[in-house]
């Protein structure tokens, strides 16, 4: 049902394009390298997170700069109960997502109850993410700064165990693909529902929205709940894909910012923008790392040259160019050019 | 018998300035009442008090006998009051139809039903040929129409119109007046309007109240108001000078 709906606003060309992309994605493991699969998995993972972040800012006008928090606490919870109790992620995903949602609700409650809007709300999300990062640093039972490691045995990377999320990298790749598609379809359904209309109304003009009978507090809370919930699901995936969690690399502000870049490049507020953004930025960053390594190995540039920040520099440049020349992102412009989406009409 | 909307001795000050001072006004069910007065007289402040934007310092406002003072704007809408904004507030990135659908979702069972109702309101306000345009591309008169269409879509019992005819051409004003008249006759909707366009006030309202410096200085039939020396002195007379 969701899938059928999903196709409704694509033109014939758009459907063909979607089929082609799906065909490439599904067949990727059969003709590419394991390295490309790992890049593609991270890309899909970031597409899910971009979608989650876009739901808050693009749909409801709520700027979160602490999305790593929702991912992180969910990842930590699922990883902890797996390593201590052996509880499989298929079960722990529920409390993990619930924890992410509760965290979202707490931030949302404080922000919306006391009318902390715009950039101040973003500061609140950063504050909570940092608070949790520093707290986890000092929590010995989940590893503190030493990190939390999931038990991995030799045979784990061979099979397919979806209950325990242990298996071949291809399993993670396909799982990420399914999750990314479900997130996209789910967000589309939400956007076309009463919730989506209300979120956009609140985003565009809160006073007018309230005058039309919208309980602004409640609908903003729904946005945070859905967004943090999706991030929570992604967090469980991340924990079992990475097998190691460190406070800095999970909750750090870089992680939260990374989440925002895909949607900004692809198009905030659009459905496919976050996906497109992830598919532009992640391969770009990885390709650049590869290129530098290649240049160093072949002696074209001095191997001792430190170019650690170059990836971030290039990303910054890309984002600046997008903001300057395509402030609504690439997707709205691209889909117009390609004629992939039906224009609004019954 | 108690009136549909009863405003009793309502006052509101901002930093010591009395924006609305001890104003009382009754609006009968199915009535069309105009609120006129010079700029800064407190008309929009009175609207905002009714619409729940901010609380009153003193006084009482009831709708069909129920106290509505202190309710949030969305609860006021639930109670059956819908309003337009003098400084129009469209949802700029949504289309005309989507704008009105947001209003129509108030009380509608589902999106389809809301879109259908929204379509009717869009046609009623003569925006049918712009139905899929984003609201930010509309001209000011069209934005005013959109405000009305969106407010009507919530199916209010009482409609508060804040200068919706400002900037319209005389023929367009007459068209909008005709829309309100027929709505009033067909659905029995009660209308309270703030308006400077006297052409509209005269042909639309059954009853007119005049505010000046936050106080109600006169009220009565349109004919009575235009003869009141105090009103002529502070408001209507000025226009003749121009």
């Amino acid at each position: 049902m969701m899938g059928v709906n999903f196709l409704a606003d694509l033109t014939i060309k758009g459907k063909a394009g979607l089929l082609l992309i799906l065909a490439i994605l599904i067949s990727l493991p059969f003709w590419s390298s394991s390295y490309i699969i790992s890049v593609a998995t991270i890309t899909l993972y970031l597409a899910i997170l971009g979608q989650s972040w876009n739901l808050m800012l693009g749909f409801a006008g709520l700027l979160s700069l602490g999305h790593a928090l929702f991912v992180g606490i969910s990842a930590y919870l699922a990883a902890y109960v797996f390593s201590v109790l052996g509880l499989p992620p298929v079960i722990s995903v529920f409390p993990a997502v619930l924890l992410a949602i509760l965290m979202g609700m707490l931030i949302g409650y404080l922000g919306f109850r006391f009318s902390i809007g715009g950039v101040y709300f973003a500061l609140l999300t950063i504050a909570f993410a940092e608070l949790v990062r520093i707290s986890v640093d000092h929590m010995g039972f989940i590893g503190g700064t030493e990190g939390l490691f999931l038990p991995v045995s030799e045979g784990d990377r061979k099979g397919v165990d979806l209950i325990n999320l242990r298996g071949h990298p291809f399993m993670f790749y396909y799982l990420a693909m399914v999750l990314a598609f479900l997130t996209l379809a789910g967000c589309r359904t939400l956007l076309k529902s009463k919730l989506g209309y209300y979120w956009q109304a609140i985003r565009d003009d809160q006073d007018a929205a309230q005058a039309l009978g919208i309980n602004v507090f409640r609908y903003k809370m729904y946005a945070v709940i859905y967004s943090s919930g999706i991030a929570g699901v992604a967090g469980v995936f991340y924990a079992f894909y990475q097998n190691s969690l460190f406070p800095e690399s999970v909750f750090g502000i870089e992680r939260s910012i990374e989440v925002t870049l895909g949607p900004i490049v692809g198009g905030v507020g659009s459905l496919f923008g976050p996906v497109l953004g992830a598919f532009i930025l992640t391969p770009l960053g990885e390709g650049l790392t590869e290129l530098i390594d290649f240049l160093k190995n072949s002696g074209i540039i001095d191997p001792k040259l430190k170019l650690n920040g170059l990836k971030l520099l290039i990303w910054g440049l890309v984002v600046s160019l997008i903001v300057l020349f395509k402030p609504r992102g690439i997707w709205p412009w691209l889909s117009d050019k390609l004629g992939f989406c039906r224009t609004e009409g019954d | 018998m108690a009136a549909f909307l009863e405003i009793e001795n309502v006052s509101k000050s901002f930093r010591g300035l009395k924006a609305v001072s001890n104003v009382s006004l009754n609006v009968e069910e199915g009535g069309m009442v105009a609120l006129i007065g010079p700029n800064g007289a407190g008309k929009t402040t009175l609207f905002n008090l009714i619409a729940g934007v901010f609380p009153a310092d003193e006084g009482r406002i009831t709708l069909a006998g129920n106290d509505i003072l202190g309710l949030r704007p969305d609860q006021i809408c639930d109670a059956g009051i819908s309003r337009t904004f003098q400084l129009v507030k469209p949802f700029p990135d949504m289309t005309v139809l989507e704008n009105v659908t947001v209003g129509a979702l108030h009380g509608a069972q589902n999106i389809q039903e809301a879109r259908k109702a929204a379509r009717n309101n869009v046609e009623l306000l003569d925006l049918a040929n712009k139905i899929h345009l984003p609201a930010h591309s509309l001209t000011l008169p069209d934005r005013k129409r959109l405000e009305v269409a969106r407010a009507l879509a919530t199916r209010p019992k009482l409609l508060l119109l804040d200068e919706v005819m400002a900037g319209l051409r005389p023929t367009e004003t007459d068209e909008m007046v005709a829309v309100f008249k027929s709505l009033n006759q067909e659905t029995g909707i009660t209308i309270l309007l703030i308006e400077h366009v006297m052409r509209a006030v005269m042909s639309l309202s059954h009853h007119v109240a005049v505010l000046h410096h936050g106080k109600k200085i006169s009220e009565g039939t349109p004919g009575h108001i235009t003869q009141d020396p105090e009103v002529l002195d502070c408001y209507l007379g000025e226009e003749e000078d121009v």
Side-chain angles (χ1 to χ4, degrees):
Chain A
M1 181 66 198
M2 227 152 56
V4 176
N5 259 339
F6 183 71
L7 293 174
D9 36 53
L10 292 176
T11 57
I12 300 287
K13 257 167 122 182
K15 279 173 193 158
L18 183 71
L19 266 177
L20 183 69
I21 292 166
L22 275 178
I24 292 172
L25 285 179
I26 291 169
S27 65
L28 200 61
F30 300 103
W31 51 268
S32 73
S33 67
S34 62
Y35 171 69
I36 287 183
I37 291 301
S38 74
V39 173
T41 307
I42 290 298
T43 304
L44 287 164
Y45 162 77
L46 282 171
I48 298 166
L49 283 183
Q51 203 74 253
S52 149
W53 181 80
N54 183 50
L55 193 154
M56 262 173 80
L57 183 71
F59 295 1
L62 302 166
L63 176 57
S64 160
L65 290 178
H67 245 58
L69 169 61
F70 309 132
V71 180
I73 45 171
S74 168
Y76 261 95
L77 189 143
Y80 179 69
V81 295
F82 183 72
S83 56
V84 174
L85 307 170
L87 200 65
V90 77
I91 292 169
S92 66
V93 67
F94 294 102
V97 167
L98 187 69
L99 183 64
I101 289 175
L102 286 175
M103 209 66 198
M105 287 176 78
L106 175 64
I107 296 172
Y109 177 82
L110 291 171
F112 310 147
R113 172 69 184 76
F114 299 103
S115 302
I116 300 167
V119 73
Y120 299 100
F121 179 75
L123 288 178
L124 190 68
T125 61
I126 295 176
F128 268 88
E130 285 295 286
L131 186 74
V132 172
R133 179 181 66 82
I134 293 161
S135 306
V136 173
D137 266 346
H138 296 281
M139 288 179 185
F141 73 102
I142 48 173
T145 48
E146 309 279 291
L148 179 63
F149 296 87
L150 271 77
V152 185
S153 66
E154 199 43 47
D156 278 353
R157 286 177 60 81
K158 296 212 173 71
V160 173
D161 182 355
L162 278 169
I163 298 197
N164 290 302
L165 280 187
R166 308 278 76 183
H168 196 274
F170 288 1
M171 180 194 84
F172 285 98
Y173 171 69
Y174 283 119
L175 180 60
M177 198 191 305
V178 169
L179 289 177
F181 187 78
L182 286 179
T183 310
L184 180 63
C187 282
R188 189 202 172 274
T189 307
L190 285 172
L191 191 63
K192 304 284 169 177
S193 73
K194 180 174 178 169
L195 270 176
Y197 276 86
Y198 279 12
W199 284 337
Q200 293 175 79
I202 292 168
R203 174 197 68 192
D204 277 10
D205 196 308
Q206 184 167 317
D207 293 337
Q210 201 176 18
L212 294 172
I214 299 173
N215 184 332
V216 173
F217 177 86
R218 181 188 299 166
Y219 282 91
K220 281 183 177 174
M221 283 298 261
Y222 287 152
V224 177
I225 288 168
Y226 277 106
S227 180
S228 55
I230 294 168
V233 175
V236 176
F237 174 87
Y238 180 85
F240 285 79
Y241 181 65
Q242 287 290 332
N243 291 315
S244 59
L245 302 171
F246 299 93
E248 182 56 44
S249 67
V250 169
F251 294 107
I253 184 134
E254 302 85 357
R255 286 285 94 81
S256 294
I257 297 206
E258 186 179 53
V259 172
T260 71
L261 295 180
I264 290 171
V265 168
V268 174
S270 68
L271 276 166
F272 201 70
V275 182
L276 181 69
F279 272 87
I280 292 171
L281 285 180
T282 316
L284 186 72
E286 291 298 330
L288 209 65
T289 313
E290 283 296 284
L291 184 68
I292 292 165
D293 286 350
F294 174 76
L295 292 176
K296 279 182 177 174
N297 291 338
S298 54
I300 297 171
I301 54 173
D302 186 357
K304 283 185 218 106
L305 202 64
K306 282 205 159 54
L307 292 166
N308 292 347
L310 197 62
K311 182 171 112 176
L312 292 173
L313 195 72
I314 298 287
W315 275 12
L317 194 68
V318 169
V319 172
S320 309
L321 288 176
I322 296 291
V323 171
L324 270 176
F325 296 108
K326 290 274 169 286
R328 300 180 82 98
I330 293 177
W331 176 246
W333 166 79
L334 190 69
S335 89
D336 212 40
K337 283 265 179 245
L338 298 176
F340 272 14
C341 287
R342 223 180 275 283
T343 39
E344 175 71 21
D346 292 339
Chain B
M1 198 194 116
F4 186 52
L5 176 75
E6 275 193 87
I7 301 168
E8 271 178 63
N9 306 320
V10 166
S11 296
K12 177 72 183 175
S13 299
F14 295 108
R15 294 169 186 261
L17 178 81
K18 279 234 169 193
V20 170
S21 178
N22 212 20
V23 169
S24 296
L25 181 69
N26 287 345
V27 181
E28 299 299 331
E29 186 154 18
M32 289 199 276
V33 175
L35 204 54
I36 64 169
N39 290 326
K43 307 182 296 293
T44 297
T45 304
L46 187 60
F47 258 34
N48 284 336
L49 289 171
I50 301 169
V53 175
F54 34 65
D57 300 335
E58 305 160 35
R60 233 182 125 207
I61 301 178
T62 59
L63 183 78
N66 300 312
D67 233 310
I68 58 164
L69 208 52
L71 297 182
R72 289 193 312 267
D74 54 301
Q75 294 170 320
I76 295 287
C77 182
D78 293 340
I81 300 178
S82 193
R83 62 93 51 100
T84 67
F85 291 91
Q86 182 189 1
L87 301 171
V88 290
K89 289 177 178 288
F91 303 126
D93 286 341
M94 303 175 82
T95 66
V96 167
L97 182 64
E98 286 168 348
N99 263 268
V100 183
T101 303
V102 172
L105 277 167
H106 187 259
Q109 294 300 313
N110 54 50
I111 293 284
Q112 281 71 31
E113 188 191 312
R115 280 174 77 95
K116 205 170 151 226
R119 204 169 267 279
N120 289 337
N121 282 299
V122 167
E123 280 163 16
L124 189 66
L125 270 298
D126 213 15
L127 287 166
N129 55 348
K130 298 168 180 120
I131 198 159
H132 295 307
L133 291 182
H136 66 74
S137 70
L138 297 183
T139 60
L140 186 62
D142 279 342
R143 288 178 195 209
K144 297 252 174 190
R145 292 191 182 93
L146 179 60
E147 285 277 318
V148 177
R150 202 173 59 178
L152 274 176
T154 65
R155 299 175 194 78
K157 287 180 280 203
L158 170 64
L159 183 61
L160 306 177
L161 301 171
D162 197 347
E163 292 197 34
V164 291
M165 280 168 274
L168 296 189
R169 283 193 287 269
T171 49
E172 294 173 326
T173 304
D174 292 344
E175 278 167 28
M176 203 182 264
V177 165
V179 167
F180 293 136
K181 273 189 172 164
S182 71
L183 270 175
N184 177 257
Q185 269 158 24
E186 284 161 25
T187 66
I189 190 170
T190 310
I191 296 176
L192 177 61
L193 71 155
I194 295 175
E195 198 52 70
H196 283 299
V197 181
M198 289 311 287
R199 184 190 179 91
V201 172
M202 288 303 154
S203 64
L204 199 52
S205 51
H206 309 147
H207 190 90
V208 182
V210 188
L211 287 189
H212 186 44
H213 290 319
K215 293 192 181 72
K216 187 174 76 181
I217 57 165
S218 180
E219 74 176 303
T221 61
H224 167 79
I225 290 297
T226 51
Q227 307 298 322
D228 187 325
E230 204 178 348
V231 178
L232 288 172
D233 190 41
C234 83
Y235 181 56
L236 293 178
E238 282 175 17
E239 275 199 326
E240 283 166 16
D241 293 340
V242 175

